[in-house]
Amino acid sequence: YISQFLHGAVMMASLVAALFFLKFRSKTGDSLFGFFAAAFALLSVERWFLMVSQAPIEARSSIYIFRLVAFLLIIWAVVVKNGKKST
């Protein structure tokens, strides 16, 4: 049960981070913050699925697709942001 509590805490922290980045996106209009908000929202969804999943650990591997997509979004946001500065 402690793992469910920890998954819930990380889920809540990811959601709070997503909301902060969404607020910064609306203030600045910078798409980097939008990408970060989407990535942290995906990380929150991933933690929710891990928290409610009753499947054995081996069967949960498909849930980590959310984490992969979130990290790819972060990488894409940094690449796009750096590409805009150099041109």
Side-chain angles (χ1 to χ4, degrees):
Y1 296 109
I2 190 72
S3 68
Q4 287 181 335
F5 174 76
L6 292 175
H7 284 307
V10 173
M11 180 187 74
M12 182 190 66
S14 296
L15 218 77
V16 168
L19 290 174
F20 272 115
F21 282 120
L22 203 58
K23 182 177 92 170
F24 295 143
R25 166 74 169 108
S26 67
K27 280 186 175 182
T28 64
D30 193 354
S31 63
L32 178 77
F33 294 128
F35 281 119
F36 271 63
F40 278 99
L42 278 173
L43 289 173
S44 178
V45 168
E46 179 243 352
R47 286 298 172 162
W48 182 80
F49 276 122
L50 285 173
M51 186 175 60
V52 299
S53 175
Q54 298 296 325
I57 292 174
E58 297 84 17
R60 295 187 212 171
S61 61
S62 61
I63 296 173
Y64 291 102
I65 299 283
F66 288 103
R67 191 179 294 185
L68 174 67
V69 172
F71 289 139
L72 288 174
L73 268 175
I74 291 172
I75 291 169
W76 178 254
V78 171
V79 167
V80 167
K81 184 70 174 179
N82 285 334
K84 285 183 181 178
K85 284 186 177 183
S86 66
T87 57

